[in-house]
Amino acid sequence: MTEDSQRNFRSVYYEKVGFRGVEEKKSLEILLKDDCLDIEKLCTFSQRFPLPSMYRALVWKVLLGILPPHHESHAQVMMYRKEQYSDVLHALEVIRFISDATPQVEVYLYMHRLESGKLPRSPSFALPKAFEQYLNLEDSRLLSHLKTSSAVSKLPYDLWFKRCFAGCLPESSLQRVWDKVISGSCKILVFVAVEILLTFKIKVMALNGAEKITKFLENIPQDSSDAIVSKAIDLWHKHCGTPVHSA
């Protein structure tokens, strides 16, 4: 039996006895033991599997460039990052972009924009077009209903694509989506939006008028979130392929 087939056999066995993800966790721990973390392999892992919660913060920080790949530098760099956070927060307060009443999620967004030189950020972005494209492939009748209702241009794109579903999905589901975004695939956001429409198709088809449809989509039931994210990841793999480690 080859090494790959042995690994596949073990994965199937672990899943059957209720220990799904054991092999993946071991693989990640091996990656994290390297003195210099391999960014490409961490990206690939994050796109293929959900990150274990105990390692998520570390992996996110490394992939976002908050921490360097070298372990020995983490403590010192993290100290600098905390100082940087305080400076950026103070700058936004001074120029009156934020106040004590500003929601925390918007504070973080403004901080990112200031750091990346995009304050204010340009409103033009391509994800809504991709959303229409893939929804049409999955359910053209549903897209036609949205167009007939004049809802396509009024869907909650800011909530979906600028806030990356923060305030729409519960934290446990949101983390799985952000694993993919942080590791380099913003397109997962498109498939989450598509799957929300597919999941609540009957409800949406029964609504007439853009305002009613948008209001519902801004406040979707939370009990379906995990299933929506799982199906969205399947859609993402279906249309974009499954990431693999480079040699």
Side-chain angles (χ1 to χ4, degrees), residues 138-198:
E138 293 296 321
D139 196 320
S140 58
R141 184 167 170 260
L142 181 52
L143 179 60
S144 295
H145 174 70
L146 294 177
K147 289 181 176 179
T148 302
S149 303
S150 301
V152 173
S153 63
K154 299 178 181 178
L155 294 175
Y157 294 126
D158 280 3
L159 176 63
W160 293 348
F161 302 143
K162 289 188 178 180
R163 293 170 56 181
C164 302
F165 293 96
C168 176
L169 298 176
E171 185 174 320
S172 59
S173 302
L174 192 65
Q175 288 173 341
R176 296 170 60 202
V177 175
W178 284 18
D179 284 347
K180 316 305 178 190
V181 174
I182 288 172
S183 60
S185 182
C186 290
K187 215 166 191 178
I188 186 64
L189 301 174
V190 171
F191 295 107
V192 175
V194 169
E195 187 55 45
I196 286 174
L197 267 296
L198 296 176

Side-chain angles (χ1 to χ4, degrees), residues 6-246:
Q6 285 180 333
R7 186 180 298 112
N8 291 336
F9 173 80
R10 290 197 300 271
S11 296
V12 171
Y13 171 76
Y14 283 133
E15 185 170 345
K16 283 186 176 179
V17 298
F19 291 97
R20 184 178 182 181
V22 171
E23 282 290 290
E24 287 80 5
K25 182 181 177 185
K26 287 182 178 179
S27 297
L28 179 60
E29 288 174 345
I30 291 172
L31 290 176
L32 293 177
K33 284 181 180 177
D34 291 341
D35 291 335
C36 183
L37 300 177
D38 190 314
I39 303 298
E40 184 178 353
K41 288 183 178 179
L42 287 176
C43 283
T44 302
F45 183 95
S46 299
Q47 294 194 22
R48 292 192 67 185
F49 310 110
L51 287 170
S53 57
M54 63 188 299
Y55 297 122
R56 177 171 278 117
L58 172 60
V59 174
W60 281 15
K61 287 175 182 177
V62 172
L63 294 183
L64 288 170
I66 295 170
L67 289 176
H70 298 278
H71 278 291
E72 61 183 17
S73 304
H74 284 186
Q76 185 175 16
V77 170
M78 204 61 220
M79 180 181 69
Y80 293 149
R81 289 296 188 188
K82 289 178 180 179
E83 294 175 357
Q84 181 183 17
Y85 176 91
S86 298
D87 290 343
V88 173
L89 187 66
H90 179 65
L92 287 171
E93 291 170 343
V94 169
I95 62 178
R96 298 183 181 179
F97 259 83
I98 62 172
S99 67
D100 291 341
T102 306
Q104 196 64 41
V105 65
E106 292 186 18
V107 172
Y108 294 147
L109 179 59
Y110 283 129
M111 292 179 77
H112 170 69
R113 289 176 178 174
L114 181 59
E115 279 286 277
S116 57
K118 296 178 181 177
L119 189 67
R121 181 178 174 180
S122 170
S124 60
F125 57 115
L127 294 183
K129 289 296 182 184
F131 163 77
E132 285 188 50
Q133 174 190 345
Y134 288 111
L135 182 59
N136 185 55
L137 290 173
E138 293 296 321
D139 196 320
S140 58
R141 184 167 170 260
L142 181 52
L143 179 60
S144 295
H145 174 70
L146 294 177
K147 289 181 176 179
T148 302
S149 303
S150 301
V152 173
S153 63
K154 299 178 181 178
L155 294 175
Y157 294 126
D158 280 3
L159 176 63
W160 293 348
F161 302 143
K162 289 188 178 180
R163 293 170 56 181
C164 302
F165 293 96
C168 176
L169 298 176
E171 185 174 320
S172 59
S173 302
L174 192 65
Q175 288 173 341
R176 296 170 60 202
V177 175
W178 284 18
D179 284 347
K180 316 305 178 190
V181 174
I182 288 172
S183 60
S185 182
C186 290
K187 215 166 191 178
I188 186 64
L189 301 174
V190 171
F191 295 107
V192 175
V194 169
E195 187 55 45
I196 286 174
L197 267 296
L198 296 176
T199 298
F200 298 110
K201 174 181 176 178
I202 295 176
K203 175 68 175 179
V204 172
M205 293 290 285
L207 295 172
N208 293 314
E211 185 177 345
K212 291 180 181 178
I213 292 173
T214 301
K215 185 176 181 180
F216 171 75
L217 293 174
E218 287 176 339
N219 299 278
I220 60 171
Q222 301 285 290
D223 54 0
S224 302
S225 297
D226 282 341
I228 287 171
V229 172
S230 295
K231 291 178 181 178
I233 292 172
D234 289 341
L235 273 182
W236 175 55
H237 288 161
K238 170 184 171 182
H239 290 285
C240 300
T242 303
V244 295
H245 284 300
S246 58

